Each structure stands twice: as structure tokens, then as C-alpha cells.
Amino acid sequence: MLSAFVRAFRTPDLRRKLLFTAGIMAIFRLGSFVPVPGVSYANVQQCLSTSASSNDLLGLVNLFSGGALLQLSVFALGIMPYITASIITQLLTVVIPRFEELKKEGQSGQAKLTQYTRYLTIALAVLQSSTYIAVARAGQLFPGCTADIIPDDSVVTIVLMVITMTAGTGLIMWMGELITERGVGNGMSLLIFTSIAATFPGQLWSIGQSQGFGVMAVVIAVGLVIVALVVFVEQSQRRVPVQYAKRMVGRRMYGGTSTYIPIKVNMAGVIPVIFASSLLYLPALVAQFNDPQSGWVQWVNANLVQGDSAVYIVAYIALIIFFTYFYVGITFNPDEVSDNIKRVGGFIPGVRAGRPTAEYLDYVLTRITLPGAIYLGFVALIPLIALVLVGATQNFPFGGTSILIVVGVGLETVKQIESQLQQRNYEGFLR
């Protein structure tokens, strides 16, 4: 693999793309440490060092921003508004007929959907930045820290902070599109990869300092095993064979070939884990703005805030399984796939074309989604298990959302570099 990297850097065109991608990722990380105007950087660092724990409700967003959220930096929102906007746009293609028509129009329709996603991202960035600034002013960002994070809370300062954070989100969007266009891999995915991977050393070092470096070595060894298992499952797929009938076009014979429909075990990716985390986030968020002495607020704080309660674990797994089936159901349409196969003269051996093919695909999809959902639930529980065993936070690097994104983006990027190397008759990474 190292020799393949050497070959990649020896190719001028590919070397320029790799260096350009690395440069954008470096700028992205640099922006995570530039404070927003109006924020006391010294007080933020004091709260980070003295606060017993940060707000667990913001853990997912802080993970996706590479720790920039708790720094209240220019890139504090990270890529999260774009992820949310993309998910909403994708769901609306099922609900709104106009969006469904745009999706079927090809490249022009996709360009319009992308533009709508950008507008929605900016709107969500304004909303989220206003919420986080309100949380910081209320002292909820760092429980137990009395330092004044925002010394000047005038209207002009707050508006300037909102504009700066929103502009940071727009800049991140632009940098991600630059990587996609002129670099290697999917830009947005690589920026998420950069944010999450940047938290790994800090998490491992904190485990080493609190539990000992022997425990840290064991955690790293177990993490490598988890990565290998995640790679195995992410590459696993059920191949449904498809045969194409022979047909005459003029004087030539076409068809008669066979291929397959790849149905992945984890077709939903990391989306169900994000949905489940977001839904469990809502009760705790509502409880935060109500009377702490209320009975239901105390129950929510005891069972739905920390990940070590039985109620939280059961609800988390149930929501992951539900959202896995829900997301797969809206992204893979057996009827549409069956019609496409029938239109080009294909059929599944032993299954009649039309409705029986759609029912067969639905049967296969339902059966293969269950182990995929259980796998997602198991991986999502790894940080909660680490929370109990080694005192890690819910952003534990070798589990949950982080490991799924890092492995998925890493595999996809390596495949793209591999394909470019194969175009130049070089031996690639994957054998």
C-alpha cells in the first residue's frame, strides 16, 4: 500500500489533486481554532480545562465539527447544517412531487436540488448558531464553569457572531465542493472525516492519562479489530443475479449477458445512528428549558441524557432498527428497480418479471436489512460500553458514528484513488 502511495505521488496530476485536498483539509482544521468575534478565548480555554463535562446534548455536533463547537470558533457549526439539509432534501423527494421530478431529470434536476440544499443549509446555520449562542450565554455550554464566555452580549455583537458562524458554514460548503471538483474523493465526506479523525488522538490520550497507558494500548488493539470488522461488514453485499435476454438490433445480436444487483448489508450507512441520536436529543433539550424539580424532567435527566441507563440503550437500539428500515424503504424502491429491469429486457432467474420481481427484491431487502440494523446497533453501543468500562466520553473514537464515517469515507476515497491509478496502468491499493 505504501508503494502505491509513492506511485500516486509520482503521477503529476494525481499528486496535485492529493496536495490540493490535503491543503483544503488543513485550512478547515485551522478555522476550527479561530474564535468568533465577541468570544473571550481565554475564558473558553479556562472552561474547557476546568469544566467537569461539556454539554452531552451537543456531543454529536461537536464531534462533526472536530471540537470546534466548544471552542466557539468560526467553523463551530462544522458540516452539520449541510448534513441536516441534505437529509431533509432527500426525504422531501419522497413527499413533494416537484422534488421527485427534479430527481428524475438527471444532472440539471440534481443541480437545482443541490441549490435548494445550499439555501436550506444557510437557513439552518442561522438557526443553529443563534441556538448555540443562546446556550453559551445561559452558561449551559460548560456546566459548572462561571467564566463569562461572551463578555459583551449586546445585539450588535450577537448578530456579528451569528453572521460569522453562518459565513463559516458557507465557506465549509464551498471548500467541500472544491475538493469534489478539483481534489480526490467526496469533499463533504472528507471534511467530516477530518473533523472526526482529529478527535482520535485527544480521546486516546485522555484514556491513557486517566486509566493508564496499558489500558490505552488495549483500547487501540480492540479498535483495530473493530475497524477490521466494520470494513468486512461495509463491504458485504447480497448479489441478486440478473439475466438479459438476447435481442436483434439491425444485424447485430445484443444481450444475453448476466450481471447482478448489489444489495449491501448496511445500505443505510450512518444515517439511522444520526437520526436515533437526534431524536433522543429532543426530550433532553426540552427538559433543559423547564423546571429542574419537575418529575418528568428528573426522569429524562436520569434516563435519556447519559448513555449508561437501560432505558437509553433500549430506546437507542429500537430507534436505530426502526430508522434503518425506514431509510432503506425510501432509498431503495423494489417496484422502480423491477420496472427498470423489465424495461431493458432483464429478469431474475427463476422469478417472473414485473410484480413477482418486485416482491422478491422486497423479500431479500427485508431479510438482509435486519442483520444490518443489528450491526449498526452494536457499533453504536461501543461508545456506551467504553463509557462504563474505561470512563470514555460518548465520542469514543472506535465506535458509533465516528468509526462508521471514518471507515466508510476511507474506503470510498481509497477506491477513487485506486481507479485513477488503474487508468494509468499502475498497481493500486486494493488487491
Side-chain angles (χ1 to χ4, degrees):
M1 183 172 179
L2 293 177
S3 62
F5 267 115
V6 173
R7 295 191 190 98
F9 274 96
R10 284 178 179 172
T11 307
D13 181 44
L14 193 54
R15 181 175 64 245
R16 282 195 299 269
K17 290 183 177 181
L18 291 172
L19 292 177
F20 180 81
T21 302
I24 295 293
M25 292 165 69
I27 295 173
F28 174 66
R29 284 305 300 159
L30 179 63
S32 301
F33 298 97
V34 178
V36 172
V39 173
S40 174
Y41 182 77
N43 290 345
V44 169
Q45 297 305 311
Q46 178 185 343
C47 288
L48 282 172
S49 60
T50 60
S51 181
S53 63
S54 63
N55 193 335
D56 290 332
L57 301 178
L58 305 176
L60 182 64
V61 183
N62 189 56
L63 174 67
F64 277 15
S65 66
L69 175 65
L70 296 183
Q71 299 273 359
L72 284 174
S73 68
V74 175
F75 291 164
L77 300 181
I79 205 72
M80 197 65 179
Y82 183 83
I83 296 174
T84 308
S86 300
I87 293 173
I88 292 174
T89 305
Q90 192 170 13
L91 293 177
L92 288 179
T93 57
V94 184
V95 180
I96 302 178
R98 171 60 180 166
F99 279 27
E100 188 175 1
E101 293 174 4
L102 289 175
K103 185 179 179 181
K104 294 179 180 179
E105 284 182 6
Q107 187 174 359
S108 61
Q110 191 62 42
K112 291 183 180 179
L113 287 176
T114 302
Q115 195 67 18
Y116 293 153
T117 304
R118 292 170 183 163
Y119 295 147
L120 184 57
T121 299
I122 298 301
L124 289 175
V126 172
L127 178 62
Q128 291 184 15
S129 59
S130 304
T131 303
Y132 297 146
I133 292 172
V135 170
R137 291 177 63 194
Q140 299 294 329
L141 194 61
F142 300 101
C145 181
T146 59
D148 196 359
I149 299 176
I150 307 176
D152 180 15
D153 58 353
S154 63
V155 175
V156 176
T157 303
I158 300 302
V159 171
L160 179 61
M161 293 175 67
V162 171
I163 292 175
T164 304
M165 287 187 178
T166 305
T169 300
L171 182 58
I172 291 173
M173 247 194 327
W174 178 66
M175 290 192 300
E177 292 177 359
L178 278 181
I179 293 177
T180 304
E181 181 182 351
R182 300 171 58 182
V184 177
N186 182 279
M188 298 300 178
S189 299
L190 281 174
L191 292 182
I192 298 173
F193 175 91
T194 305
S195 299
I196 296 175
T199 63
F200 278 28
Q203 288 288 332
L204 292 174
W205 183 253
S206 64
I207 292 174
Q209 287 186 320
S210 60
Q211 303 293 326
F213 292 98
V215 175
M216 186 182 75
V218 172
V219 168
I220 293 175
V222 172
L224 294 177
V225 175
I226 293 173
V227 169
L229 293 176
V230 170
V231 170
F232 175 77
V233 177
E234 291 294 323
Q235 297 290 85
S236 302
Q237 56 184 223
R238 167 75 158 86
R239 297 181 174 181
V240 178
V242 178
Q243 184 74 33
Y244 292 97
K246 293 182 179 180
R247 53 195 175 93
M248 291 291 297
V249 179
R251 295 184 177 181
R252 294 190 177 184
M253 179 77 71
Y254 290 90
T257 58
S258 60
T259 182
Y260 60 86
I261 302 173
I263 301 179
K264 295 181 64 176
V265 174
N266 180 27
M267 185 175 291
V270 74
I271 298 299
V273 180
I274 296 177
F275 276 13
S277 302
S278 301
L279 199 60
L280 285 175
Y281 163 94
L282 293 178
L285 179 64
V286 173
Q288 198 173 39
F289 296 99
N290 285 271
D291 183 13
Q293 303 301 323
S294 177
W296 72 272
V297 172
Q298 293 180 356
W299 185 89
V300 168
N301 291 332
N303 295 283
L304 295 180
V305 174
Q306 297 296 331
D308 53 356
S309 67
V311 175
Y312 185 96
I313 293 174
V314 171
Y316 197 27
I317 295 177
L319 286 173
I320 287 174
I321 293 175
F322 169 76
F323 281 121
T324 301
Y325 275 97
F326 173 77
Y327 190 77
V328 170
I330 66 173
T331 55
F332 187 93
N333 189 343
D335 293 327
E336 183 178 349
V337 175
S338 173
D339 291 340
N340 291 337
I341 294 174
K342 185 178 179 181
R343 189 179 301 114
V344 296
F347 62 93
I348 298 175
V351 181
R352 294 181 59 185
R355 187 65 188 171
T357 298
E359 293 176 352
Y360 176 76
L361 291 174
D362 182 67
Y363 170 77
V364 172
L365 190 65
T366 303
R367 286 170 61 90
I368 203 171
T369 301
L370 181 60
I374 295 174
Y375 150 78
L376 282 178
F378 169 75
V379 175
L381 284 181
I382 292 176
L384 306 183
I385 297 172
L387 183 70
V388 177
L389 295 181
V390 297
T393 68
Q394 293 192 35
N395 296 337
F396 181 69
F398 297 113
T401 311
S402 57
I403 198 67
L404 291 171
I405 293 177
V406 167
V407 171
V409 175
L411 286 173
E412 193 62 34
T413 305
V414 167
K415 285 180 180 178
Q416 289 201 22
I417 300 176
E418 160 76 10
S419 65
Q420 296 199 28
L421 285 175
Q422 286 182 345
Q423 289 176 4
R424 296 167 175 84
N425 297 321
Y426 285 152
E427 186 178 0
F429 296 139
L430 307 179
R431 299 176 184 272

